[in-house]
Amino acid sequence: MGTPTILPPTILPLAIEGLFYAVAGRALIESLSVEIAAGSRTVILGPNGAGKSLCLRLAHGLIVPTAGTVTWKGPGAAQAKLRQAMVFQRPVLLRRSAAANVSYALAVRGVPRAARPGRVEEALTRAGLAGLGDRPARMMSGGEQQKLALARAWALNPEVLFLDEPTASLDPAAVRAVETMIQAIHEGGTKIVMTTHDLGQAKRLADEVLFLHNGRLIERAPAKQFLNCPSTEQAAAFLRGEILV
Amino acid sequence: MPLGAALAVFAFPGRRAVVIAINALMGLPPVVVGLTVYLMLSRGGPLGVLGLLFTPGAMIVAQVILVMPIIAALTRQTVEDLWFEYREQLISLGVTPRRAVWTMLWDGRITLLTAFLAGFGRASAEVGAVIIVGGNIDHLTRVMTTAIALETSKGDLALALALGLVLLAVSFAVNAAAQILRDMVVRAQG
């Protein structure tokens, strides 16, 4: 593996304080405060429209909050931008070959030209896409595209990886492949922060759950505890499969 | 093309005004452009010292003014659509706006070929502006379109028609080559 042995100083924990996000006067995220620490896999769970995806985008710095702060508190915080990556629900792949997609990301992050082919090859192999490097990325199947998007993020060796509903529109085999990759990335020492509305996925992947509803953090608990005996009525209703309004 | 792409990516005050202006300039009447360039370049004009009037240089100036808005406007539209799709991913990777512009020009290359063809079409069909600033001087500033205009008014319709067919053939050839190129790129890279 091409992972460097000397790890740069950590950027975690991530402190989110008093976060508000409003569009046209309507609050979509309300007074969200949470600290996300290294290690465990954090899964943001909640019904559609709860603000899960916004929450990730705010944490990753893609959108600017209306009020509140997102602060990386670790000693390596100055490098925070370069130590994160994100994979979207619908993979955004460049109109180039699979290998060029990974290579582009490495180039942007300042990986020297000579080191790129090896890391591209490694990334594609880890994603089960070995030998498909020359294929046009946009002509791959949905599952392959999402695996490629993950491989591209993984190739950057991020300390924190944000995943927004990474398996929402995939067939079961692709879901399994993507979940296996996420597990491997986690075992490689990357902090996973992902959203899902799929309880089964939360069961399989979560160490801790942040339960969001109507833009508010309703409950935060270790996954086992949350899934077995949630302490809030909304979470219990969600787990029973009721429709939350 | 970089101008159009930059307009799509960079947000700055007055951006909308520039976009509207460029869209409007697409319909610029060539004769008016010719007249304006003529006035600028003529001996008494502000750029008269350059001595460009009635030279190929003057024709290039006029053509650039005519073609640039078309290419910039079509590029801006293409790149803006791409930017909408790519924006979050590129920001997430840490791409600088400059690099984003080049990325989208490259990724939009198939569509941008159409912008190039539109610009080529306008330039190759152009008569009014180039005849005014070029002067239609034989062996110097006489191009196919101005030669056709001249031969027609001289009454040599056969020569005019022949020149017209050649011009059409050139235009077809360029467009066919572009189409073949596009098919090759699509097959290779999607």
Side-chain angles (χ1 to χ4, degrees), chain A residues 7 15 19 24 43 50 70 81 102 117 123 126-127 131 176 198 212 223 227:
Chain A
L7 286 170
L19 209 60
V43 169
V70 173
K81 279 248 168 288
V102 180
R126 289 191 296 199
R176 176 178 292 167
D198 176 356
L212 239 63
L227 294 165

Side-chain angles (χ1 to χ4, degrees), chain B residues 39-107:
Chain B
L39 291 173
M40 300 294 275
L41 296 181
S42 64
R43 188 128 327 150
L47 300 176
V49 285
L50 298 176
L52 277 177
L53 196 61
F54 301 136
T55 67
M59 297 163 77
I60 291 171
V61 170
Q63 292 280 35
V64 167
I65 294 172
L66 284 169
V67 169
M68 199 202 59
I70 292 196
I71 295 188
L74 294 176
T75 302
R76 184 199 59 81
Q77 191 58 55
T78 301
V79 169
E80 206 165 273
D81 294 345
L82 262 183
W83 183 232
F84 182 75
E85 183 194 339
Y86 281 9
R87 202 183 72 91
E88 290 202 325
Q89 179 67 63
L90 294 188
I91 293 176
S92 169
L93 288 173
V95 173
T96 59
R98 232 182 112 86
R99 187 171 205 141
V101 165
W102 292 113
T103 300
M104 283 180 298
L105 284 176
W106 178 249
D107 276 44

Side-chain angles (χ1 to χ4, degrees), chain A residues 154-178:
Chain A
W154 197 359
L156 304 173
N157 287 324
E159 188 185 345
V160 182
L161 177 60
F162 294 101
L163 301 143
D164 187 12
E165 302 260 3
T167 62
S169 44
L170 300 182
D171 63 79
V175 170
R176 176 178 292 167
V178 166

Side-chain angles (χ1 to χ4, degrees), chain B residues 57-187:
Chain B
M59 297 163 77
I60 291 171
V61 170
Q63 292 280 35
V64 167
I65 294 172
L66 284 169
V67 169
M68 199 202 59
I70 292 196
I71 295 188
L74 294 176
T75 302
R76 184 199 59 81
Q77 191 58 55
T78 301
V79 169
E80 206 165 273
D81 294 345
L82 262 183
W83 183 232
F84 182 75
E85 183 194 339
Y86 281 9
R87 202 183 72 91
E88 290 202 325
Q89 179 67 63
L90 294 188
I91 293 176
S92 169
L93 288 173
V95 173
T96 59
R98 232 182 112 86
R99 187 171 205 141
V101 165
W102 292 113
T103 300
M104 283 180 298
L105 284 176
W106 178 249
D107 276 44
R109 60 198 178 279
I110 296 172
T111 320
L112 290 176
L113 204 54
T114 309
F116 165 77
L117 288 177
F120 173 77
R122 179 157 207 193
S124 65
E126 171 45 35
V127 192
V130 292
I131 213 166
I132 294 178
V133 301
N136 202 10
I137 303 165
D138 202 7
H139 298 306
L140 182 61
T141 60
R142 182 165 305 164
V143 291
M144 296 197 71
T145 51
T146 58
I148 292 169
L150 179 68
E151 298 304 334
T152 306
S153 48
K154 272 164 57 182
D156 193 346
L157 298 180
L159 182 54
L161 209 54
L163 283 170
L165 286 175
V166 173
L167 187 58
L168 263 180
V170 169
S171 185
F172 267 115
V174 168
N175 277 277
Q179 187 63 43
I180 290 166
L181 184 70
R182 173 199 303 235
D183 288 349
M184 272 163 48
V185 172
V186 168
R187 213 168 307 129

